[in-house]
Amino acid sequence: MASERFDYIVIGAGSAGCVLAARLTEDPNTKVLLLEAGGKNTSILVKMPAGVGELIKAKGDQNWGFWTEEEPHLDNRKLWWPRGKGLGGSSAINGMIYIRGHARDYDQWRQMGLSGWSYSEVLPYFKRSETHHAGGDAYHGGQGPLHVSKGESPSPFYPALIEAGRQAGHKTTKDFNGYQQEGFGPYDLTIRDGKRWSAAAAYLSEALSRPNLTCVTEARTTKILIEKGRAVGVDYVVGKGGEARTAYADAEVLLSAGAVQSPQILQLSGIGAPDLLKANGIAVVQESRGVGANLQDHLDVCLSWTTKNLTTAYSANKGLNKLATGLSYMLLGKGLGRQQFLESGAFLKSRPDLDRPDLQIHGVLAIMQDHGKVVVEKDGFTLHVCQLRPESRGAVGLRSADPFDDPTILGNYLAADEDRRALREGVRMAREVAAQAALDPYRDAEYAPGADVRADADIDAWIRAKSETIYHPVGTCRMGAAGDAMAVVDDQLRVQGIAGLRVVDASVMPTLVGGNTNAPTIMVAERAADLIRGKATLAPVDAPVFEDGRAAAA
């Protein structure tokens, strides 16, 4: 068995792992090993924004393609869980929506006793990571590696959706990541000059040329090595059934395998709930009952309408048009391949007494069914309705002690009454928006759920039968304050009870943020990089005011 020695070992080259590898190797005297279970992600589908539809729906080189267990509150269905595989992780297959969440999401973390994670303290890290299309200002960065653009589609659908939201009585906003999140508006996108700008493109493209970074792809971590209460290295295998290797870390092991596989790797290494470990024949190294618990995810339903007088993804790519789209993109870098067909949406409150939006709408210029697995041969548009702050909690566990087995995933969606109420109200609100005059020139008939689904019981039944994840799992290695027995890591992301080991990815989030999770994951890793290096964290901003007129508290 070959062995190597480094200062840091980063497990997983997803959104967080790419950031860590790049930031840590800025010091030429720091030697880093980056292990990625997938490949290099050189496929044209990864580079081309329009490729997202193919990447999301199929298990393969870019997608782990997990399934949940039977979900007890969703008619015992098993849900499809796409997760990114290869350099860039889920940022290489996602919808490229750049959303940070609401400022109060981070103030809530600080109120939970997590020092350093308030909005005014994390905003500088969002800004450090970003180059915004409008330049730097109080809310945005102008010199970061992650390029954020506005949509370039000429379709009248996207502005019409925003206007329909206004006509339905909702606010509008120009920037979901600025002063005001609530309302209808345009999305910012992680696209640069017509190319997907994943975490790998943003952070690794330059870092890979550094002699102090070793990146090994097709490298499956099988175990974190722990000696006398300290993480000292990892065992990994290159290729399934391939060469077994060991690498040692003189400083720290940094686990960035995501909300599904970070808890799995901890459990395989003997860190977790004793009953689960013993049931799988794994010796308990450190009891940590929170590993794999606290799973939260955004549940989503798709309301769709057929259209008239409107070119949608279906007609644009029908027949030979699909070939033309691909050739135009590959040969000239032009055409519909530069778009991801999702450029406007909304953040709304399902009831007026809430302090922040609890619903998100993604407006898609296509009829979406079952993650695109079901092809609907009609022009249409879809309003994804997503409940942002679920009260339901699920878990990730071991299926076996074999590191090549997929873990068990139970989302436990809609276990809470409030989750059912909010999503039901979201269906009604989306229908009201779609009925407005601004969409009259384009809207034809309601395709799903259909005119006969109106009563509460019928809407609830349709949600149980058709709802799916919108790919935002967090919380399975959550942060917690001192004395929190279910916390896996502390507010500096150090695994409790084990020295030299941190978790840095979406799994550390104690609660879901109000929006897509890629940008917040990158922020977590940016801040973690300073904590790991022992650098002073960026000074809190002179907290900008946000939409309710109050300033974020440091």
Side-chain angles (χ1 to χ4, degrees):
M1 177 182 289
S3 65
E4 308 154 284
R5 186 167 292 277
F6 299 85
D7 295 305
Y8 297 96
I9 299 172
V10 181
I11 303 170
S15 297
C18 288
V19 175
L20 293 178
R23 292 303 187 195
L24 293 175
T25 55
E26 288 174 342
D27 178 355
N29 296 315
T30 298
K31 190 177 179 184
V32 175
L33 172 64
L34 177 61
L35 299 175
E36 169 52 44
K40 294 181 179 180
N41 271 349
T42 57
S43 167
I44 187 63
L45 291 176
V46 171
K47 297 176 182 178
M48 180 174 65
V52 58
E54 296 299 319
L55 295 171
I56 286 291
K57 68 184 181 182
K59 186 181 182 77
D61 291 341
Q62 290 84 31
N63 189 344
W64 287 99
F66 296 123
W67 290 92
T68 71
E69 302 301 292
E70 293 182 350
E71 293 291 343
H73 309 287
L74 299 181
D75 294 345
N76 292 317
R77 291 183 296 130
K78 294 184 176 183
L79 267 58
W80 171 248
W81 262 42
R83 305 308 302 153
K85 183 179 184 182
L87 298 183
S90 291
S91 74
I93 71 168
N94 68 3
M96 293 156 280
I97 302 294
Y98 181 85
I99 289 290
R100 298 171 178 175
H102 195 279
R104 291 209 171 279
D105 296 333
Y106 302 101
D107 287 345
Q108 180 180 345
W109 291 6
R110 180 64 186 89
Q111 290 161 4
M112 296 168 69
L114 300 173
S115 179
W117 295 97
S118 71
Y119 176 64
S120 66
E121 291 166 306
V122 302
L123 180 56
Y125 287 99
F126 279 118
K127 293 175 67 174
R128 184 168 82 175
S129 70
E130 180 189 30
T131 291
H132 191 261
H133 59 83
D137 60 20
Y139 298 94
H140 293 286
Q143 297 181 325
L146 187 68
H147 284 253
V148 175
S149 68
K150 61 181 179 180
E152 62 179 40
S153 171
S155 175
F157 167 70
Y158 300 113
L161 177 60
I162 296 170
E163 175 60 16
R166 188 195 67 78
Q167 291 173 350
H170 299 293
K171 297 178 181 180
T172 60
T173 182
K174 294 181 179 179
D175 183 3
F176 291 129
N177 299 301
Y179 169 79
Q180 176 188 317
Q181 186 195 52
E182 185 179 358
F184 278 78
Y187 279 119
D188 280 345
L189 311 173
T190 50
I191 296 174
R192 183 183 187 185
D193 191 25
K195 300 182 181 69
R196 172 192 291 276
W197 208 243
S198 68
Y203 286 90
L204 277 189
S205 55
E206 177 183 347
L208 285 173
S209 65
R210 296 172 185 160
N212 57 332
L213 175 60
T214 300
C215 178
V216 184
T217 54
E218 308 293 343
R220 191 74 174 263
T221 298
T222 57
K223 187 178 183 180
I224 298 170
L225 304 176
I226 299 165
E227 296 178 2
K228 297 179 180 179
R230 182 177 186 86
V232 298
V234 301
D235 285 340
Y236 65 101
V237 174
V238 180
K240 186 163 186 176
E243 180 188 1
R245 300 182 187 176
T246 298
Y248 293 97
D250 292 334
E252 294 188 44
V253 175
L254 307 170
L255 179 55
S256 300
V260 175
Q261 287 155 303
S262 280
Q264 181 190 24
I265 290 170
L266 288 179
Q267 290 162 347
L268 290 168
S269 306
I271 303 170
D275 291 349
L276 175 66
L277 301 183
K278 292 174 183 176
N280 286 280
I282 297 171
V284 179
V285 173
Q286 174 65 40
E287 179 178 333
S288 184
R289 295 185 178 275
V291 174
N294 192 49
L295 174 62
Q296 300 157 62
D297 187 25
H298 286 148
L299 193 67
D300 175 86
V301 288
C302 289
L303 290 85
S304 299
W305 287 261
T306 55
T307 54
K308 56 190 178 184
N309 308 318
L310 192 65
T311 299
T312 73
Y314 167 67
S315 56
N317 289 299
K318 183 178 178 181
L320 292 177
N321 289 348
K322 187 173 184 178
L323 177 61
T325 294
L327 288 174
S328 176
Y329 186 83
M330 288 188 290
L331 298 176
L332 304 173
K334 295 182 178 180
L336 291 174
R338 297 168 61 93
Q339 301 172 30
Q340 39 68 290
F341 298 97
L342 199 175
E343 295 189 5
S344 64
F347 290 87
L348 308 174
K349 295 176 181 178
S350 68
R351 60 174 200 261
D353 58 312
L354 295 174
D355 70 342
R356 58 199 123 151
D358 66 332
L359 297 171
Q360 182 178 3
I361 290 178
H362 295 82
V364 182
L365 197 55
I367 295 178
M368 295 294 296
Q369 297 289 306
D370 192 15
H371 309 274
K373 289 174 178 287
V374 176
V375 178
V376 179
E377 295 185 344
K378 296 176 182 290
D379 278 311
F381 68 85
T382 295
L383 300 184
H384 283 262
V385 179
C386 166
Q387 193 225 352
L388 292 175
R389 293 185 179 80
E391 295 181 3
S392 306
R393 297 291 184 269
V396 172
L398 292 177
R399 195 173 302 279
S400 77
D402 182 350
F404 288 91
D405 265 358
D406 289 348
T408 62
I409 303 168
L410 181 67
N412 202 30
Y413 300 102
L414 299 188
D417 290 342
E418 172 62 10
D419 298 353
R420 296 191 290 272
R421 182 209 65 79
L423 208 46
R424 183 191 316 126
E425 184 62 23
V427 169
R428 291 201 176 93
M429 294 168 73
R431 277 174 156 166
E432 183 180 24
V433 169
Q436 299 303 312
L439 288 170
D440 282 352
Y442 316 114
R443 179 194 61 254
D444 192 10
E446 183 174 313
Y447 181 84
D452 57 334
V453 179
R454 294 287 169 182
D456 283 2
D458 294 333
I459 293 173
D460 286 350
W462 177 72
I463 291 171
R464 288 195 303 272
K466 297 296 183 180
S467 55
E468 297 283 353
T469 174
I470 203 167
Y471 329 125
H472 300 153
V474 307
T476 49
C477 299
R478 73 167 175 85
M479 286 189 279
D484 184 342
M486 291 298 287
V488 178
V489 300
D490 65 11
D491 58 14
Q492 295 194 48
L493 312 185
R494 298 172 297 200
V495 173
Q496 305 212 53
I498 302 291
L501 178 61
R502 298 190 208 225
V503 181
V504 184
D505 57 31
S507 71
V508 305
M509 298 180 189
T511 56
L512 256 172
V513 299
N516 310 67
T517 50
N518 180 241
T521 302
I522 289 172
M523 175 277 293
V524 166
E526 282 276 17
R527 188 167 190 277
D530 281 352
L531 295 173
I532 293 162
R533 292 180 288 188
K535 296 181 64 173
T537 53
L538 298 180
V541 297
D542 183 12
V545 171
F546 51 93
E547 59 193 294
D548 62 4
R550 291 173 285 180

